[in-house]
Structure formats: structure tokens, C-alpha cells
Amino acid sequence: GAGVSQSPSNKVTEKGKDVELRCDPISGHTALYWYRQRLGQGLEFLIYFQGNSAPDKSGLPSDRFSAERTGESVSTLTIQRTQQEDSAVYLCASSSRQGAKGYTFGSGTRLTVV
Amino acid sequence: AQSVTQLGSHVSVSEGALVLLRCNYSSSVPPYLFWYVQYPNQGLQLLLKYTSAATLVKGINGFEAEFKKSETSFHLTKPSAHMSDAAEYFCAVSDLNAGNMLTFGGGTRLMVKP
């Protein structure tokens, strides 16, 4: 597509439930990134996918967080047994491998755990 | 490893005044540098980028930034602030050795007073 698409745009869930967030990157972008942004704070790196290579999971805050990506297509970020501290905006971005053109970000998913 | 420091988490200027948002970086290789803007409830939008061409880079909305290697800085400026410039601004450096992964600064919230 023309841009990075994230769904849902807003999600309210009860504490303890699992949630799945979706990111559809720009067609042809081999790299995909997930970031978390808590209210009033900067971007916290979560995970990075590059083509078919093993993902860089070094930013995932706990084993309740996982992400998948098949090839160079859609990615899903799953949070199991959600906690209130998981409330944040989850941003996805994609980029091409060649050059240093920066990322294109989606509009994010605002997750609220009640 | 790369790092980015944005001096001042909040900056307030009057409409029509000069905008100066500071960014310093550390990098073991020649860096690619970026400024992103985030308007309320939106994702991040690329303002401008430095990729080793001209050291003075012009971006959208009248913003520009100058790469100064001797000062390891990439400060963002705009001659005359507009109310619509009120947003969060993020500086980022690209790690060419890690698939162009961006490392972000903590962000600076720009407030514009009438």
C-alpha cells in the first residue's frame, strides 16, 4: 500500500486478556520495526524484522510480548495477559534495506488496559 | 553503538520567534541523521534527513537542520514559529551496521505561544 497501515487504531482491553496488533508495511519494504510510546515519553524499541533473517527481539520487555512476520508482509505484535503498564501507543514502521531513507511510520495503535 | 541526546524535553517560543531544537549524537561511523515530527494523536512524520550530502538540510514546513561534525550536532531550526508547529520532535541517528536501525532521542515538545 501507499503507507504503513496499523489496526486497530484504538484498543481497550481488560487486564489479563491477550491482544493482537497488526501492521501492514509499505510494499517492498524489507525492514519492519515495532516501537512503544508511553504517554508523554519517547520511543522504546521493541523488535526489528529484516527480510527472512532472525528478528532482533532485544527490546521486548517481557516474555508476554511476541511478534511475528511472514516474509516481507504483515506483522502481528501479541501481548499476552495484558497489564496496565502495557497501556501505550504501539507504533510500527517500515523501511527499505537500500540506502538510508529513514522509516515510514504508521499512525499507531493506542492500547488501553483497564 | 549510536546514541542521541535532545537537550530540553520542552521548548516554548512565541509565534514568529526563532525555533531551535537541539540534537547531539554519538556514532562510531559517519552517521545518517533524521528529524521526525509527531502531531497529537498521530504517528511520526519525517521532517528532514542528512545522508552525507550537503550539511545544511532543508525539510518540510520551513524547517532546516545543519550537520556539524566537529560538534556532533544536528540542531533543528525554523526562522519564524507558527502555531501549527506545536508538536513533539524527535531526532534520530541511523546505524548502518544494523540494517539502518534508527536510534531515537527522547523527544522535545515544542509549544508556541500566541
Side-chain angles (χ1 to χ4, degrees):
Chain A
V4 177
S5 178
Q6 289 189 247
S7 61
S9 55
N10 281 283
K11 176 72 176 178
V12 180
T13 189
E14 292 181 352
K15 179 181 173 181
K17 301 276 190 180
D18 297 352
V19 295
E20 206 171 81
L21 313 180
R22 176 187 169 103
C23 173
D24 198 346
I26 290 175
S27 178
H29 277 190
T30 57
L32 186 147
Y33 313 80
W34 283 99
Y35 285 83
R36 178 169 70 178
Q37 186 177 29
R38 289 190 165 121
L39 185 64
Q41 298 187 22
L43 278 73
E44 178 185 3
F45 166 73
L46 295 178
I47 188 168
Y48 157 55
F49 296 90
Q50 174 61 61
N52 292 316
S53 302
D56 177 351
K57 304 180 180 180
S58 60
L60 294 178
S62 78
D63 59 8
R64 295 187 296 105
F65 287 72
S66 63
E68 293 184 349
R69 186 186 188 198
T70 304
E72 297 178 359
S73 62
V74 170
S75 175
T76 55
L77 176 69
T78 302
I79 309 173
Q80 296 178 308
R81 305 181 303 281
T82 51
Q83 304 295 314
Q84 287 188 327
E85 63 263 27
D86 299 334
S87 296
V89 175
Y90 290 82
L91 290 165
C92 175
S94 69
S95 73
S96 62
R97 183 179 179 88
Q98 301 303 322
K101 299 180 181 179
Y103 299 172
T104 301
F105 279 87
S107 297
T109 294
R110 182 176 298 278
L111 176 66
T112 305
V113 182
V114 297
Chain B
Q2 263 90 340
S3 67
V4 177
T5 301
Q6 291 183 240
L7 296 177
S9 58
H10 292 78
V11 170
S12 180
V13 300
S14 298
E15 191 172 21
L18 171 72
V19 176
L20 170 61
L21 304 183
R22 299 179 186 274
C23 173
N24 288 88
Y25 69 91
S26 69
S27 175
S28 57
V29 297
Y32 287 178
L33 294 156
F34 305 82
W35 276 100
Y36 284 84
V37 60
Q38 184 179 34
Y39 297 104
N41 300 315
Q42 295 187 26
L44 276 71
Q45 178 183 0
L46 182 65
L47 260 184
L48 50 80
K49 60 180 183 277
Y50 165 77
T51 57
S52 74
T55 56
L56 181 62
V57 181
K58 295 187 184 297
I60 61 172
N61 300 338
F63 283 93
E64 62 182 38
E66 186 172 8
F67 171 67
K68 292 187 176 180
K69 183 178 179 180
S70 61
E71 298 178 8
T72 61
S73 69
F74 190 57
H75 302 330
L76 182 70
T77 61
K78 182 174 180 178
S80 176
H82 191 273
M83 297 296 291
S84 61
D85 295 327
E88 186 93 19
Y89 292 81
F90 292 94
C91 182
V93 62
S94 179
D95 185 345
L96 302 182
N97 294 324
N100 292 327
M101 178 129 55
L102 294 187
T103 299
F104 287 86
T108 297
R109 181 167 298 279
L110 176 66
M111 295 167 283
V112 182
K113 299 174 292 186

